[in-house]
């Protein structure tokens, strides 16, 4: 069996196992857990196969020829695993399957419907990314069978930050699916109190990983891109910053619910929004729609239409399930006094959300202006700099 056939077979098996886990998760938890284990194992082996091909100079695989070369140091060949569209999606799918497996195992131990439904949602998310791999972004496609060397990494990617920055961001995005899954599980089961304790841990993990990725990326930009600073308000940078800001708001909002039983509707809505924005970030980065405005974005690809449709379906499904159960979510009211700790925290959450939506509007401006039939127009860094100072001061006053 050739490496291309082996890798593609493993991805296909991972997809079947993830779909089986999602289909069985709500009813047959133990069998669903075994299917989740099979999905994680298959995708893990696929990652190992691709890494082995990169280290062994298997240039007959198109992805290896495009991102590795004989002259590339071994540690850069490891980084080549996530340097391209296909390899990074394989890593994403593998990590997502691993997260689904962790929650499935928790569900087996606890026996809680909340955990079972969350695991089901996470298996469905893993299946989605695996389906993209198999149909549109297979890293094991065969290339030139006579190739003796590859092109190697883009010079901009030959930096120590390439080792940690992309995996940290991807792991952060993966962890962000957990609050979404538990929010959906809460809506299905009616457990509007218990879900936050589980989701809060994963939100903290996502916040830490995404924050680490942003910091490393800022240093990388300073060293390589020559912006004269650490942050250039690049659209793809912003698409990672926005969920990170939302995570701060969600963490504080969950803490308020834990202490006072308030903001239950807000927390579920924020958790759903959280993952929608992660998916929107995926769309911005991987569809190629911002390739003319960002050195971070992948080039125009056949994923654009697919990701657009899936983003629309995700928004519709999230709104539907939220609005369907909206009236059944009962929450304690906030205190009437304006200046107390709880209300000041709420004001801070509002400022964080307002700030993130301003950045979202600016980031989306090339898309919005392009829809008018004219040439897409991005906003300048001055727009973000002018709003960030007053927003930052208000956030510090209310949150800290």
């Amino acid at each position: 069996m050739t490496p291309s056939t082996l890798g593609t077979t493993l991805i296909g098996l991972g997809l079947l196992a993830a779909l089986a886990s999602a289909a069985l998760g709500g009813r047959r938890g133990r069998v669903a857990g075994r299917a989740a284990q099979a999905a994680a194992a298959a995708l893990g082996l696929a990652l190992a196969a691709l890494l082995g091909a990169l280290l062994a100079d298997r240039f007959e695989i198109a992805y290896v020829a495009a991102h590795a070369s004989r002259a590339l140091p071994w540690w850069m060949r490891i980084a080549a695993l996530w340097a391209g569209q296909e390899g990074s999606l394989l890593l994403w799918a593998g990590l997502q399957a691993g997260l689904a497996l962790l929650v499935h195992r928790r569900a087996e131990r606890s026996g809680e419907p909340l955990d079972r439904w969350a695991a089901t949602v996470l298996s469905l998310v893993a299946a989605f990314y695996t389906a993209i791999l198999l149909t549109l972004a297979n890293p094991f496609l065969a290339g030139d069978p006579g190739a003796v060397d590859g092109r190697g990494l883009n010079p901009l990617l030959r930096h120590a930050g390439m080792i940690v920055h992309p995996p940290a961001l991807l792991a952060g995005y993966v962890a962000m699916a957990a609050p979404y899954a538990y929010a959906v599980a809460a809506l299905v089961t009616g457990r509007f109190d218990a879900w936050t304790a589980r989701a809060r841990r994963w939100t903290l993990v996502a916040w830490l990983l995404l924050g680490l990725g942003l910091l490393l990326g800022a240093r990388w930009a300073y060293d390589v891109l020559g912006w004269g600073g650490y942050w250039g308000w690049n659209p793809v940078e912003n698409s990672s910053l926005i969920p990170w800001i939302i995570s701060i708001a969600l963490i504080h909002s969950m803490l308020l619910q834990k202490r006072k039983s308030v903001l239950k509707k807000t927390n579920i809505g924020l958790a759903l929004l959280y993952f929608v924005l992660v998916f929107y970030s995926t769309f911005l980065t991987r569809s190629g729609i911002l390739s003319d405005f960002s050195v971070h974005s992948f080039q125009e690809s056949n994923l654009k239409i697919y990701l657009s449709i899936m983003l629309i379906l995700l928004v519709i499904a999230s709104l539907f399930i939220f609005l369907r159960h909206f009236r059944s979510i009962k929450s304690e009211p906030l205190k009437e006094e304006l200046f107390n700790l709880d209300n000041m925290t709420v004001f801070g959450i509002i400022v964080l959300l307002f700030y993130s939506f301003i950045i979202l509007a600016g980031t989306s401006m090339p898309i919005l202006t392009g829809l008018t039939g004219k040439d897409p127009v991005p906003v300048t860094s001055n727009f973000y700099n002018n709003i960030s100072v007053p927003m930052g001061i208000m956030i510090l006053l209310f949150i800290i």
Side-chain angles (χ1 to χ4, degrees):
M1 184 180 290
T2 66
S4 293
T5 304
L6 174 63
T8 302
T9 301
L10 287 170
I11 292 173
L13 291 173
L15 175 58
L16 290 175
L19 288 172
S21 179
L24 298 170
R27 300 184 303 275
R28 303 183 65 184
R30 188 172 296 275
V31 177
R34 298 298 174 268
Q37 186 175 2
L43 292 172
L45 288 173
L47 278 166
L50 184 58
L51 179 59
L54 288 164
L55 293 173
D57 296 330
R58 301 302 297 263
F59 298 115
E60 71 273 19
I61 298 175
Y63 184 86
V64 177
H67 300 286
S69 67
R70 294 186 184 276
L72 204 65
W74 66 268
W75 60 277
M76 280 279 94
R77 296 190 196 193
I78 293 174
L81 181 64
W82 47 79
Q85 177 90 282
E86 298 85 356
S88 59
L89 278 171
L90 176 58
L91 177 60
W92 195 331
L95 291 173
Q96 199 72 67
L99 175 61
L101 176 59
L102 289 176
V103 179
H104 271 289
R105 286 185 170 174
R106 179 188 176 95
E108 288 181 22
R109 293 193 304 269
S110 69
E112 289 282 346
L114 191 67
D115 292 316
R116 289 203 304 272
W117 280 104
T120 298
V121 174
L122 289 172
S123 289
L124 195 59
V125 173
F128 163 75
Y129 286 115
T130 310
I132 292 179
L133 278 173
L134 191 62
T135 58
L136 299 172
N138 188 348
F140 291 99
L141 291 179
D144 180 4
V148 295
D149 205 350
R151 291 198 297 268
L153 281 179
N154 184 315
L156 291 176
L157 301 181
R158 299 183 185 187
H159 185 273
M162 186 64 189
I163 297 294
V164 184
H165 167 67
L169 287 179
L170 286 176
Y173 287 151
V174 166
M176 287 176 181
Y180 177 86
Y182 274 109
V184 172
L187 290 169
V188 172
T189 62
R191 301 286 302 278
F192 302 123
D193 293 309
W195 77 276
T196 56
R198 294 163 170 82
R200 189 170 62 249
R201 301 185 188 100
W202 288 110
T203 308
L204 283 167
V205 170
W207 175 79
L208 287 170
L209 288 170
L210 200 56
L212 174 63
L214 289 169
L215 285 172
L216 292 171
R219 179 66 202 191
W220 187 356
Y222 184 83
D223 290 341
V224 175
L225 296 177
W227 286 337
Y230 292 93
W231 194 263
W233 294 108
N234 183 277
V236 176
E237 285 180 320
N238 294 351
S239 68
S240 298
L241 177 64
I242 293 166
W244 185 77
I245 295 174
I246 297 290
S247 69
I248 300 173
L250 182 57
I251 289 167
H252 284 81
S253 187
M254 284 180 173
L255 288 173
L256 276 179
Q257 178 175 334
K258 179 184 177 183
R259 295 202 328 261
K260 304 289 185 175
S261 292
V262 297
L263 303 179
K264 293 180 183 180
K265 293 177 180 176
T266 301
N267 283 328
I268 290 179
L270 279 179
L272 298 177
L273 175 66
Y274 195 32
F275 186 67
V276 168
L277 289 175
V278 169
F279 201 93
Y280 184 63
S281 298
T282 305
F283 169 74
L284 291 180
T285 307
R286 297 182 180 275
S287 66
I289 199 167
L290 294 178
S291 58
D292 293 335
F293 306 98
S294 173
V295 297
H296 296 74
S297 178
F298 291 98
Q299 295 302 306
E300 191 84 15
S301 75
N302 56 353
L303 295 180
K304 182 193 292 186
I305 296 176
Y306 184 71
L307 290 176
S308 301
I309 294 171
M310 293 309 299
L311 177 61
I312 293 170
L313 291 177
L314 177 64
V315 171
I316 292 173
S318 300
L319 278 174
F320 173 78
I321 192 170
F322 183 48
L323 295 177
R324 183 181 180 185
H325 297 278
F326 186 81
R327 293 183 180 275
S328 62
I329 306 172
K330 304 301 180 183
S331 183
E332 296 294 326
L334 289 164
K335 293 181 180 179
E336 294 183 0
E337 307 91 73
L338 188 61
F339 297 104
N340 60 63
L341 179 61
D342 295 343
N343 286 344
M344 293 292 281
T345 303
V346 171
F347 293 149
I349 291 169
I350 293 171
V351 174
L352 284 167
L353 294 176
F354 183 64
Y355 184 37
S356 65
F357 283 118
I358 292 176
I359 298 174
L360 178 64
T363 303
S364 304
M365 197 56 64
I367 301 173
L368 298 175
T369 54
L371 291 175
T372 64
K374 301 178 182 178
D375 292 335
V377 179
V379 300
T380 66
S381 59
N382 288 333
F383 168 79
Y384 300 106
N385 291 332
N386 290 336
I387 64 168
S388 293
V389 173
M391 289 289 106
I393 292 172
M394 283 192 287
I395 290 167
L396 289 174
L397 286 175
F398 288 130
I399 293 292
I400 299 183

